[in-house]
Amino acid sequence: MKHVISAIVQNEPGVLAHVAGMFAARGYNIDSLVVGRTEDENLSRMTIVVVGDDRILEQVRKQLEKLITTVRVRDFKDIDYVERDLLLLRVHAPADKRPEIVALVDLFRGRIVDVSKSSVMIEMAGPEAKLEAFIDLVKPYGIRELARTGVIAMQRGKTNSEKDEK
Amino acid sequence: MRRTRKQSNIRAPQAGWDGTDVLLACLAEENVEVMFGFPGAAILPVLDRLWFHAEGITNQTRRKRLAFSGALSTCYANSTERICGRNDIMSKTKTDAAASLAGTNGAQVFHRMLQAEGVETMFGFPGGAVLPIFDELFESPIQFVLTRHEQGATHMADAYARSTGKVGVVIATSGPGATNIVTGLATANMDSIPMVAFTGQVKSTLIGNDAFQEADVTGVTRPVTKHNFLVRDVKDLGRIVREAFHIARTGRPGPVLVDIPVDCTVAKLDSEPDLEPNLPGYKPRGGIGNERQIRIAADMINAARRPVLYVGGGVILSGAAEELTAVARKGKLPVTTTLLGLGAFDESDPLSLKMLGMHGTAYANHAVQQCDCLVSVGARFDDRVTGDLSKFAPNAKIIHIDIDPSSISKNVEVDVPVVGDAKAILAQMLPMIECPDRSAWLAQIDEWKKKFPLTYKADGDIRPQEVIEKLGELTKHDAIVATGVGQHQMWAAQFYGWKKPRQIITSGGLGTMGFGCPAAIGAQFGNPGKLVVDIDGDGSFTMTMVEVITAVQYNQPAKFIVLDNEYLGMVRQWQELFYGKRYSATPHACPEFTEIAKGFGAGAAKITDRRQVADALNEMIRYDGPFVLHVCVAREENVFPMVAAGKALDDMIHSQLI
Ligand SMILES: Cc1cc2nc3c(=O)[nH]c(=O)nc-3n(C[C@H](O)[C@H](O)[C@H](O)COP(=O)(O)OP(=O)(O)OC[C@H]3O[C@@H](n4cnc5c(N)ncnc54)[C@H](O)[C@@H]3O)c2cc1C
Ligand SMILES: Cc1ncc(C[n+]2csc(CCOP(=O)(O)OP(=O)(O)O)c2C)c(N)n1
Ligand SMILES: [Mg+2]
């Protein structure tokens, strides 16, 4: 089972090593880990997708909280949130197949960002499930190269969070 | 070990092989003929297969009062300090220290900050990258103890902390100095001991260049510390030192490492540094527990018919022995302690069940398995304690009092967690505790005690248990006792007779052989005038006995008892019981320890006869200075009872005497 956890950490050298090292040492299985800036220059946000049952999720959360440089941890279990993953994908696209591919990209609200003779590069953002569905669909055309950022997530508006608190 | 039969014809591992087969085949493939090493439980299967393949100048004078800018020395320093958050005091220090730091260099900042933290003694070993700090030390009132190896320094600092409650301080140089402290950090980390280690680092501009004596010390030590820092600028140094001490001693304590590039200790501060701690994410859970949870816990205890208190090192760290004793006596609750909890409850009290676990008493283990309410206070359900988890305390509701939320429900699903400081929580709980009639339960426990006492055969060769029991008697169970790791450690736990917290100084979680000798010396530094005895094994003592020289140099009268069975006995016991007596790599030739001790400048004696035990112990105790007592003991004595790995806690192998 996949869980999304977000951790606000101090924006300092070595912090990523602390987090990554903890995951490795405790044998937790992570699907993706994304680090980026936040509205506060002293803090970064890490979004981590962990694989495991509720018990593991609970331990991961506690162990993350225990790290000195971690300021706040939130797991999105039972919380209404928005998740986004960004995909860049180059797919084999000879002239005869190109219209089909373009149509697919449109359908998924992606964009073509680079075109060459035999391939196109596609950019697409969305929840993991959507990207995976898209990847499945273009696979038959021949994927040349694929890069994903991993999931970032944010809780939905205030009213929801108040509800969650209760 | 010389392997005779080569297997170089074997290439690919075959179906049906186990990991050991594969490993040995690969080694053969690489033409390995000789391996050097040291045994331990985790490599027993490999060793077993190999068997088939082969055949004073005391610094006391400098210990004058701290004279630095008055305010600095009086701030939040003291031994009695509690482990809960003390941000209030931190901010007070800030202004005092900041008043005078501009214009000083990093090394001076370092010493000023250490004094501000109340450091009186530190242990370590010099080198190029820490020269500026050592130079400044010359002027400092802090007592510096030069050890013979950096590992020894860490164990001394650790034991100093365990025996006094203060933070232990270590300093080592870059590269090899720093890598030598890793074992000591891991030892302290596993047992939650407050310690701050400083290492020199190569110049900041050279970091990452494979410079001379460079090692990625924050990288190496990350998994074995509570936290670590690399100082990047002299203006951060003071703040980081304060943060390091704060983190080490608050919440669940632990070792913190500060890596300081040498240029940061030379550089001068051109303005006042900001000493305000910047730890937005660090919120140690000190202080009182949730009142409602405590009420639920107390009701559960009061309703229990067969309760047991299971007490660990957290009670010692918290200074909660008194509160614990009050709760136990008020509710007539039987108490068992872990290895690290020994001394939290007086073992001569009729409610004491002594230690539980793999080598705990049978009555403690039976009581835990039969209880209907297990109250864990500052203990972490270690696998040496629980045995087979799925069969642990099957009928019990479990209450867990712990300062670290990540300890709760880590190994055992807990019914009532109470997060906070044990001392505060027990004090909150005390008035709620009642004492319903539980005479049947107490009678049952008495019966177990009668049926399964700790025993040994007192005849023939000197029995190690007998030496320890006698030592307990002669020292009125009042000495501070350090141990190595092995059978002797377990016998010490079983037979000394623990009365007070901070009395046993032993490596529990990591099980570090070689801990005992330096630990005794470190504890002696923290407890001048007290009798400190190391109960050690021949194997463990050999690993670090060189530190006896440190005891001699600083005139620390610690005593060292070497229970010499010429075996790595604990491993030999496993081989006897589970590997068909194939003693692969456990026979252990010993030197004349007395000659070595005398060469080091310590007193020494050797005994081989049971009738000499009491006199020899008395001679040792009375000796004015460090003393090594070499005791040749029965070679193949075993530690019983024993719960074999993976067995349920009440599935014990008993001594044949029962
Ligand atoms: C050869 C060998 C054999 C061993 N056999 C046994 C054995 O038979 N029996 C045995 O018991 N051990 C044995 N041990 C030791 C064992 O490995 C563990 O080290 C030990 O059981 C852990 O003790 P503890 O549970 O008290 O935990 P500790 O490691 O002391 O942990 C302390 C706990 O208290 C918490 N805590 C810290 N401060 C506070 C506070 N202020 N308030 C509340 N909670 C706090 C911490 O968060 C932590 O959870 C053996 C070790 C060796 C080397
Ligand atoms: C540094 C280290 N290496 C290996 C081990 C594994 N080990 C545990 S007990 C033991 C034997 C200890 O021998 P000794 O000190 O003579 O004590 P005895 O058991 O004989 O009393 C060994 C090798 C360990 N605990 N620590
Ligand atoms: Mg031995």
Side-chain angles (χ1 to χ4, degrees), chain B residues 248-360:
Chain B
R249 60 156 77 92
T250 51
R252 178 177 183 169
V256 178
L257 176 129
V258 183
D259 199 25
I260 314 176
V262 62
D263 49 317
C264 287
T265 57
V266 179
K268 275 208 162 85
L269 278 170
D270 47 18
S271 60
E272 291 303 336
D274 183 1
L275 296 177
E276 192 62 47
N278 177 28
L279 298 168
Y282 182 61
K283 300 169 203 90
R285 302 284 283 265
I288 60 171
N290 179 308
E291 192 72 35
R292 212 174 59 101
Q293 288 293 93
I294 294 176
R295 183 76 252 176
I296 296 171
D299 289 345
M300 195 179 269
I301 296 170
N302 292 337
R305 307 180 55 174
R306 301 186 308 277
V308 170
L309 290 176
Y310 149 48
V311 170
V315 168
I316 310 276
L317 293 165
S318 162
E322 223 172 278
E323 288 76 5
L324 172 90
T325 306
V327 166
R329 292 200 175 139
K330 186 171 177 203
K332 284 221 176 66
L333 307 166
V335 181
T336 180
T337 70
T338 66
L339 180 66
L340 293 177
L342 289 172
F345 190 71
D346 186 341
E347 291 192 338
S348 65
D349 190 301
L351 288 168
S352 170
L353 303 170
K354 302 197 175 181
M355 184 172 83
L356 81 166
M358 179 178 271
H359 291 299

Side-chain angles (χ1 to χ4, degrees), chain B residues 15-242:
Chain B
W17 282 19
D18 62 16
T20 304
D21 292 323
V22 176
L23 176 67
L24 292 179
C26 294
L27 291 176
E29 194 59 35
E30 299 294 339
N31 292 319
V32 173
E33 291 185 342
V34 185
M35 293 201 304
F36 302 90
F38 202 84
I43 53 167
L44 268 178
V46 176
L47 291 178
D48 190 54
R49 210 63 59 85
L50 286 175
W51 174 268
F52 284 121
H53 282 269
E55 340 107 276
I57 312 125
T58 172
N59 254 15
Q60 229 63 314
T61 42
R62 288 185 35 196
R63 218 167 167 175
K64 54 191 184 242
R65 280 257 40 90
L66 312 185
F68 259 104
S69 76
L72 265 176
S73 57
T74 52
C75 57
Y76 67 111
N78 273 310
S79 48
T80 47
E81 234 176 14
R82 303 298 326 291
I83 19 181
C84 327
R86 49 178 78 71
N87 286 311
D88 45 341
I89 329 184
M90 282 189 94
S91 14
K92 201 176 105 226
T93 329
K94 184 209 150 209
T95 39
D96 295 333
S100 50
L101 285 174
T104 57
N105 69 23
Q108 288 162 333
V109 173
F110 175 86
H111 285 287
R112 302 273 283 271
M113 294 313 298
L114 254 59
Q115 288 171 59
E117 296 296 333
V119 176
E120 292 174 351
T121 305
M122 62 186 198
F123 305 86
F125 205 88
V130 281
L131 270 180
I133 289 179
F134 275 85
D135 187 54
E136 208 53 50
L137 184 66
F138 212 65
E139 310 285 321
S140 165
I142 294 176
Q143 175 181 31
F144 178 76
V145 179
L146 174 66
T147 63
R148 292 306 174 271
H149 188 292
E150 288 90 350
Q151 181 186 350
T154 53
H155 295 329
M156 285 185 208
D158 171 319
Y160 178 90
R162 289 184 203 240
S163 63
T164 62
K166 302 178 198 175
V167 178
V169 182
V170 188
I171 180 162
T173 192
S174 67
T179 52
N180 271 350
I181 71 171
V182 172
T183 302
L185 291 171
T187 305
N189 196 45
M190 285 296 270
D191 293 347
S192 308
I193 305 304
M195 191 157 110
V196 176
F198 296 99
T199 44
Q201 181 54 279
V202 300
K203 269 165 78 171
S204 346
T205 48
L206 291 179
I207 290 180
N209 267 349
D210 300 326
F212 177 62
Q213 295 197 326
E214 178 182 358
D216 173 9
V217 175
T218 45
V220 170
T221 60
R222 189 209 56 77
V224 295
T225 51
K226 181 171 174 187
H227 193 53
N228 65 24
F229 295 94
L230 171 61
V231 180
R232 279 156 203 280
D233 193 308
V234 60
K235 67 183 195 327
D236 300 329
L237 179 61
R239 172 179 56 80
I240 289 178
V241 171
R242 293 181 61 201

Side-chain angles (χ1 to χ4, degrees), chain B residues 38-40 485-488 511-513 537-540 543 565 567-571:
Chain B
F38 202 84
V485 169
Q487 293 182 309
H488 63 280
T512 309
M513 287 180 67
D538 49 310
S540 299
M543 282 196 163
N565 49 14
Y567 272 122
L568 302 173
M570 178 61 91
V571 182

Side-chain angles (χ1 to χ4, degrees), chain A residues 10 12-13 17-18 21-22 25-26 43 55 59 62-63 65-71, chain B residues 222 226-228 232 247 252 278-283 404-406 408-411 413:
Chain A
Q10 282 181 271
E12 269 176 19
H18 273 104
M22 184 278 285
R26 297 201 176 262
L43 301 175
R55 221 181 120 78
Q59 267 301 312
K62 286 175 174 173
Q63 292 297 343
E65 268 167 1
K66 196 163 151 177
L67 295 177
I68 309 290
T69 40
T70 308
V71 180
Chain B
R222 189 209 56 77
K226 181 171 174 187
H227 193 53
N228 65 24
R232 279 156 203 280
I247 293 169
R252 178 177 183 169
N278 177 28
L279 298 168
Y282 182 61
K283 300 169 203 90
D404 177 1
S406 74
I408 307 251
S409 293
K410 186 175 72 178
N411 302 336
E413 206 53 53

Side-chain angles (χ1 to χ4, degrees), chain A residues 119-136:
Chain A
S119 72
V120 295
M121 194 198 296
I122 300 159
E123 167 200 299
M124 186 177 297
E128 272 210 296
K130 166 179 156 184
L131 298 192
E132 261 144 38
F134 178 75
I135 291 167
D136 273 350

